[in-house]
Amino acid sequence: MKFNDDKAKMLIEMLPYIEKHSGKTMVIKYGGNAMKNERLKEAVMEDIILMSYVGINIVVVHGGGPEINKMLDRLKIQSEFINGLRYTDEDTMEVVEMVLAGKVNKELVLKINERGGKAVGLCGIDGNMLICEPTKEDLGYVGKIVEVNPEIIKDNLDAGYISMIATVGADREGNIYNVNGDIAGSVIAGALKAEKYILLTDVPGLLEEPSMDESLISHVYKEDLPILFENGTITGGMIPKINSCIDALNQGVKKVHILDGRVRHSIITELFTDAGVGTLID
């Protein structure tokens, strides 16, 4: 009986959160270990379907770096890095487009659909969603987003579909660009005026001591983030992630969550339980 009681308590705990979030739009940036590990991938897909079932409008923005690397290796295309960033030449861009907008995107759509969800695969080229220009750094076909047109996403949401978006965009001359996933997620969330922007990462969230998982900062206000930059709390790979969070909030997103994608069902634990996980920024 205790097992049934525990399950009942969990469902009852979820009810006010379901009521609160139903009808809202949420954008999830999906990548990292949650994408490489099949067990974690299954859990993320299950979370997304559950959220959709209870009336949340879901948009997923995904990367696919490991799959791109595997294909580049198979094709014997050498990667060149400039200041730690991959230079994307024409051959590399063809592989990025093929793998991200093709293989990875369609595999994720299939995983949603075969479990009873409704997903449509898109990339930033569709409907002129992400208009780009080259970045200031000489990185080849790496794009900076200069315009977002979310109409095609809104149409899919209105029709009840989860939008699965690969981070590839184009300029007005027809050149195709690889786009940073965190930035793409933040600008899409901003254009949709989403209730939440959720980043799945490979750390528990924002940490007071970067090397100590138990130093998780569970809640921080946007106004306090400059202090955390100054004192070195926000460092390394967390810097661009937090900047993308700030951009999302500045564009009208109400709350941002940084969650550990290595933990199964971290999304629904954060959204639908009292305990929560990760870092909330508002």
Side-chain angles (χ1 to χ4, degrees):
M1 290 296 293
K2 184 178 186 305
F3 179 67
N4 287 337
D5 285 347
D6 288 345
K7 288 201 293 185
K9 286 177 183 175
M10 180 183 67
L11 291 170
I12 291 167
E13 183 181 331
M14 290 176 65
L15 282 174
Y17 294 102
I18 291 173
E19 183 180 12
K20 177 182 176 182
H21 297 319
S22 184
K24 303 293 175 50
T25 297
M26 300 187 188
V27 177
I28 299 169
K29 164 50 179 40
Y30 176 45
N33 277 318
M35 187 169 245
K36 291 185 283 186
N37 181 296
E38 281 302 315
R39 190 163 172 264
L40 293 174
K41 189 183 290 186
E42 300 290 338
V44 172
M45 297 302 111
E46 288 165 357
D47 285 4
I48 289 168
I49 292 168
L50 173 61
M51 293 165 71
S52 179
Y53 277 174
V54 300
I56 299 173
N57 302 313
I58 304 295
V59 177
V60 181
V61 178
H62 71 84
E67 290 285 349
I68 293 169
N69 291 337
K70 281 200 295 188
M71 185 60 73
L72 289 172
D73 289 342
R74 280 177 60 185
L75 297 174
K76 296 181 169 52
I77 297 174
Q78 292 288 329
S79 292
E80 178 187 350
F81 289 86
I82 299 173
N83 296 324
L85 300 171
R86 188 202 302 273
Y87 179 86
T88 304
D89 59 17
E90 245 181 291
D91 289 341
T92 302
M93 190 60 236
E94 282 188 16
V95 173
V96 170
E97 182 185 3
M98 175 178 65
V99 173
L100 275 190
K103 183 177 185 294
V104 174
N105 186 266
K106 300 315 170 193
E107 283 178 354
L108 294 174
V109 168
L110 182 61
K111 283 184 179 296
I112 294 286
N113 291 344
E114 68 184 4
R115 286 162 179 76
K118 291 173 60 179
V120 172
L122 300 168
C123 73
I125 300 170
D126 296 313
N128 289 323
M129 186 196 306
L130 299 178
I131 304 296
C132 299
E133 62 183 28
T135 57
K136 290 180 182 178
E137 302 90 349
D138 184 17
L139 296 172
Y141 292 93
V142 175
K144 173 187 176 184
I145 300 168
V146 294
E147 184 180 326
V148 184
N149 299 299
E151 287 76 16
I152 191 170
I153 307 173
K154 291 178 180 178
D155 288 344
N156 281 331
L157 292 176
D158 289 343
Y161 287 95
I162 298 162
S163 287
M164 189 72 66
I165 303 171
T167 54
V168 175
D171 64 19
R172 300 184 191 282
E173 286 73 48
N175 299 302
I176 298 172
Y177 295 89
N178 189 13
V179 180
N180 177 277
D182 293 339
I183 295 173
S186 70
V187 299
I188 289 170
L192 294 171
K193 296 296 182 281
E195 181 75 13
K196 294 180 183 290
Y197 175 41
I198 299 167
L199 291 92
L200 290 179
T201 69
D202 293 339
V203 294
L206 179 58
L207 304 176
E208 202 162 341
E209 295 290 338
S211 60
M212 297 173 60
D213 287 359
E214 60 272 21
S215 67
L216 176 69
I217 300 170
S218 59
H219 182 207
V220 63
Y221 292 105
K222 181 183 75 171
E223 292 76 15
D224 295 330
L225 291 173
I227 298 169
L228 300 182
F229 277 107
E230 289 172 18
N231 66 20
T233 299
I234 301 171
T235 185
M238 190 56 72
I239 293 174
K241 290 190 182 301
I242 295 296
N243 281 330
S244 75
C245 295
I246 294 170
D247 289 342
L249 292 167
N250 287 341
Q251 291 173 72
V253 176
K254 292 188 174 62
K255 297 179 186 295
V256 176
H257 299 258
I258 302 174
L259 305 180
D260 194 340
R262 302 168 301 177
V263 177
R264 295 182 78 234
H265 302 300
S266 59
I267 301 175
I268 60 171
T269 303
E270 174 74 358
L271 296 182
F272 296 137
T273 70
D274 295 336
V277 292
T279 298
L280 166 64
I281 306 174
D282 58 8

